[in-house]
Amino acid sequence: MSQSAMNGGFKKSLVLGGVTVSFLALAAGFFLDLWGHPTQSPLIPLVATNFINTATVRVSAGELIASGGDASGLDCYACHEKNKPLKLTFDAESNVILAKEHDDIVMGHGRHKRNNNCFNCHDDTNLEFLQTRDGHQVKLVDSPALCGSCHGPTYRDWEAGVHGRTSGYWKRDLGPIDRKVCTSCHDPHSPAFPGREPAPGPHLLHPIAKVSKERIR
Ligand code: HEC
Ligand code: HEC
Ligand code: HEC
Ligand code: HEC
């Protein structure tokens, strides 16, 4: 064997030996947990269920009747007398004084109580009907026509599907389109929405936020 071949063989076993020793050292390092474990990746917080609930904020008169719920409050002539005119009474601040049977109603339609008079909307000659701005009778369950008689631009948006919410089928031969009526969202007596907390932001790929086990509210 030549001198150089012997040298080559020696170098080779030196390298292999070195690699083996380093792997053994690494194995020992891992076994003894020298470097510890990486910190656990942050938990993705659960979103509060109110943000994923798809129900509208209220149940309209029409939906209440259709669902077979307690619609006794809509049966005006269970308590009222037909053909007996109702007289509204007002307090010093010109608020309608409500009978105790109606004390669940909170009137607050428009700034400066602009539209708080019951008979701006209800037909004073027949309580089972609403009365549009131009004097047409519509049923209690057909309230969009009433709202539209004063809120023309919003009504147009709603008809076009820009205001409110459209669900059901886009492809009409598969099924009907479902457009929620105004009173599925707005209380006709106090239609403004109270402010609400924004939903949480999207989950980041590399979260910078603190680890959180709590629900975001
Ligand atoms: C549980 C019984 C009851 C039902 C149901 C009822 N009312 Fe009344 N409502 C009363 C009483 C009592 C008064 C007080 C005036 C009176 O005695 O007639 C009143 C008064 C009113 C007034 C005058 C404002 C006030 O509070 O005094 C309006 C407007 C009115 N009702 C509309 C309606 C309409 C519209 C319906 C149906 C959608 C209806 N009510 C259903 C019992 C009822
Ligand atoms: C007789 C006319 C009239 C009818 C009918 C009417 N509104 Fe209004 N509405 C008003 C006026 C007036 C305002 C106040 C505008 C302002 O203050 O600038 C208002 C304000 C509002 C607002 C803004 C929030 C607020 O309180 O200021 C909403 C939402 C609303 N109406 C929804 C409805 C819905 C839903 C209906 C049908 C159930 C309806 N309105 C029927 C006249 C009407
Ligand atoms: C802006 C129009 C508007 C005004 C003003 C208004 N109402 Fe109504 N009211 C409605 C509509 C629309 C419904 C049917 C609601 C639905 O679809 O949920 C209704 C429903 C009712 C009902 C039956 C359901 C319930 O909420 O109890 C009563 C009772 C009632 N109104 C009484 C009154 C009285 C009393 C006043 C005056 C103090 C008044 N309303 C003023 C539009 C109005
Ligand atoms: C799916 C729920 C939903 C339906 C259905 C709906 N609205 Fe609204 N509406 C809203 C919300 C949410 C706002 C915004 C409230 C805010 O910005 O504070 C609003 C705002 C309004 C306003 C305030 C002014 C404006 O245009 O921004 C009016 C008036 C109004 N709606 C009328 C109506 C009428 C009339 C109908 C039926 C023809 C209707 N809405 C149907 C949810 C709804």
Side-chain angles (χ1 to χ4, degrees), residues 56-77:
T56 50
V57 295
R58 79 186 287 280
V59 177
S60 70
E63 287 164 334
L64 184 65
I65 293 167
S67 69
D70 175 13
S72 58
L74 299 170
D75 187 6
C76 313
Y77 290 116

Side-chain angles (χ1 to χ4, degrees), residues 58 61 98 102 105 107 109 115 117-118 121-122 143 183 188-189:
R58 79 186 287 280
L98 289 166
H102 293 311
I105 294 176
M107 284 308 304
H109 197 130
N115 194 30
N117 188 313
C118 316
C121 297
H122 292 277
S143 54
T183 52
H189 304 132

Side-chain angles (χ1 to χ4, degrees), residues 41-53:
S41 53
L43 292 170
I44 294 179
L46 297 172
V47 172
T49 47
N50 61 314
F51 289 117
I52 44 179
N53 181 1

Side-chain angles (χ1 to χ4, degrees), residues 91-178:
D91 68 10
E93 272 100 51
S94 38
N95 297 309
V96 177
I97 299 172
L98 289 166
K100 100 175 158 347
E101 284 78 1
H102 293 311
D103 63 4
D104 56 329
I105 294 176
V106 178
M107 284 308 304
H109 197 130
R111 290 164 293 169
H112 316 295
K113 311 169 198 161
R114 282 202 176 98
N115 194 30
N116 279 7
N117 188 313
C118 316
F119 300 130
N120 283 359
C121 297
H122 292 277
D123 186 338
D124 57 345
T125 64
N126 187 343
L127 293 177
E128 281 168 347
F129 287 94
L130 300 164
Q131 194 171 39
T132 62
R133 186 100 176 111
D134 53 356
H136 286 85
Q137 277 191 335
V138 291
K139 288 196 225 136
L140 271 179
V141 298
D142 294 329
S143 54
L146 167 80
C147 312
S149 71
C150 290
H151 295 286
T154 316
Y155 184 76
R156 265 202 322 269
D157 287 350
W158 176 78
E159 272 188 311
V162 182
H163 188 97
R165 197 177 88 192
T166 305
S167 46
Y169 294 87
W170 293 112
K171 203 166 183 282
R172 303 290 160 79
D173 47 327
L174 290 180
I177 197 165
D178 177 21

